[in-house]
Amino acid sequence: MPRHFLTGEELERDELRALVARAAELKADPLASSALRGNSVALVFEKPSTRTRLSMEAGVFELGGQPIVLRSGELQISRGESLRDTAMVLGRHVAAIGIRTGPDADVEELALHSDVPVINLLTADHHPIQVLADLLTMQETFGSLDGLKLAYVGDGNNVARSLAIVGARAGIEVAIASPAQFTLPDDVPATKTTDPAEAVADADVVYADVWVSMSDSEESAAARRSALGPYVLDDALLDRAADGAIALHCLPAHPGEEITAEVLYGDRQRIWDQAENRRHSAKALLELLVAAPA
Ligand code: CP
Ligand code: NVA
């Protein structure tokens, strides 16, 4: 059975911690591993991407492999071929499959029928590969993940859910402040509140994401923007966090909406390092799922 990465729950704490440590090693020496030599990795994008595509494509290359990007409409799925048949054929050619799409059920179906690891590159409800980069950024800022608290302020979306799930696995405290109508379900493992100030108290990291996600309906956009108005990551909110707290954002950002330009380009952010860390952490994940380190 291949090892998949669909929600992040597939990794135990020790594995997550080891993965972050390995990502830091690969950041220091990007060509240290040839774990994918002679292998190809299919990267299916049913939705737009800047960071995920760049980091996966460049990361596979740095590991000695060949990325094969397949965008929406390029697979026969667009003409009705099933996910089952697609998975069975992809596994005959590539060592792993990454997929960005809307329904989580589609990624689960692909994984069910795949002989090679399937990696979730973002769905409507999850974005676990993002959180690997977030953990690396936290580790390199604070030296350790032990005792850290992360506060997410904004829409209870895919990134918020994955921060809660993967953060809990990694052993960090996660608090989420969202408007009542856009909060996460009760079973998501995080402290939840509607008050941003309450969430960021004693937080080492204050995290923002877009108010309207790719999988959200156009009809809900106005209601989201209106409800999320008080959930801005600005200097005043960051001042309420712990001394030395940093701002993170998975990007793309809308400065002037969910985050101010002062924070996005200011001294207390690690957002651009976080964007770079997508590649290093993705490589550590690929090594873990596909092959032992070289
Ligand atoms: N953060 C992130 O996943 O960015 P992209 O949508 O550009 O891949
Ligand atoms: N929540 C955002 C994340 C983008 C990386 C979205 O799904 O559009």
Side-chain angles (χ1 to χ4, degrees):
M1 276 288 284
R3 195 137 190 231
H4 303 303
F5 185 73
L6 307 189
T7 65
E9 287 160 304
E10 300 84 1
L11 299 187
E12 300 300 334
R13 179 172 305 185
D14 289 353
E15 288 176 307
L16 261 177
R17 297 275 182 127
L19 187 153
V20 172
R22 179 63 179 154
E25 283 177 11
L26 291 170
K27 183 170 185 172
D29 190 358
L31 301 182
S33 170
S34 50
L36 290 181
R37 188 172 48 212
N39 286 301
S40 298
V41 175
L43 302 170
V44 179
F45 284 95
E46 300 274 354
K47 290 182 177 294
S49 170
T50 297
R51 280 142 291 271
T52 305
R53 177 172 173 179
L54 281 166
S55 58
M56 293 299 293
E57 207 168 342
V60 169
F61 172 76
E62 287 183 358
L63 290 171
Q66 165 75 47
I68 302 174
V69 173
L70 299 151
R71 288 181 298 180
S72 187
E74 290 180 345
L75 285 162
Q76 292 284 11
I77 290 172
S78 62
R79 296 184 62 252
E81 188 169 20
S82 70
L83 288 161
R84 176 180 185 161
D85 292 2
T86 304
M88 290 173 68
V89 172
L90 282 172
R92 299 293 177 110
H93 297 283
V94 301
I97 303 167
I99 178 166
R100 168 169 288 199
T101 189
D104 284 83
D106 284 3
V107 181
E108 287 160 17
E109 171 78 0
L110 198 68
L112 185 66
H113 298 291
S114 176
D115 289 335
V116 298
V118 171
I119 300 172
N120 181 347
L121 300 180
L122 182 147
T123 52
D125 288 342
H126 294 275
H127 196 9
I129 199 166
Q130 171 68 49
V131 182
L132 301 181
D134 306 340
L135 293 173
L136 173 59
T137 311
M138 292 166 69
Q139 163 124 335
E140 64 188 11
T141 302
F142 299 106
S144 163
L145 296 176
D146 291 336
L148 294 184
K149 175 181 175 183
L150 179 148
Y152 172 95
V153 175
D155 183 30
N157 62 17
N158 46 4
V159 170
R161 180 183 278 96
S162 287
L163 283 167
I165 292 172
V166 183
R169 288 260 150 183
I172 65 168
E173 184 184 346
V174 177
I176 295 183
S178 307
Q181 66 272 46
F182 296 116
T183 195
L184 288 165
D186 288 344
D187 63 347
V188 176
T191 306
K192 296 181 207 86
T193 173
T194 55
D195 181 3
E198 187 186 322
V200 305
D202 302 319
D204 304 289
V205 178
V206 184
Y207 198 116
D209 184 18
V210 293
W211 286 347
V212 182
S213 286
M214 289 184 272
S215 301
D216 292 333
S217 67
E218 275 301 309
E219 298 80 66
S220 74
R224 281 175 200 281
R225 289 203 174 87
S226 154
L228 285 156
Y231 295 78
V232 178
L233 174 44
D234 58 13
D235 277 317
L237 190 65
L238 213 39
D239 287 344
R240 289 175 166 274
D243 287 347
I246 60 166
L248 294 183
H249 190 309
C250 58
L251 301 174
H254 299 86
E257 200 167 272
E258 78 279 354
I259 188 169
T260 61
E262 287 74 20
V263 172
L264 181 61
Y265 306 111
D267 293 340
R268 292 191 282 180
Q269 58 74 27
R270 293 290 181 279
I271 294 167
W272 308 100
D273 288 341
Q274 180 189 7
E276 176 189 331
N277 286 340
R278 290 292 307 273
R279 185 170 84 261
H280 310 303
S281 50
K283 287 169 66 180
L285 178 68
L286 283 162
E287 261 195 354
L288 178 70
L289 299 183
V290 177

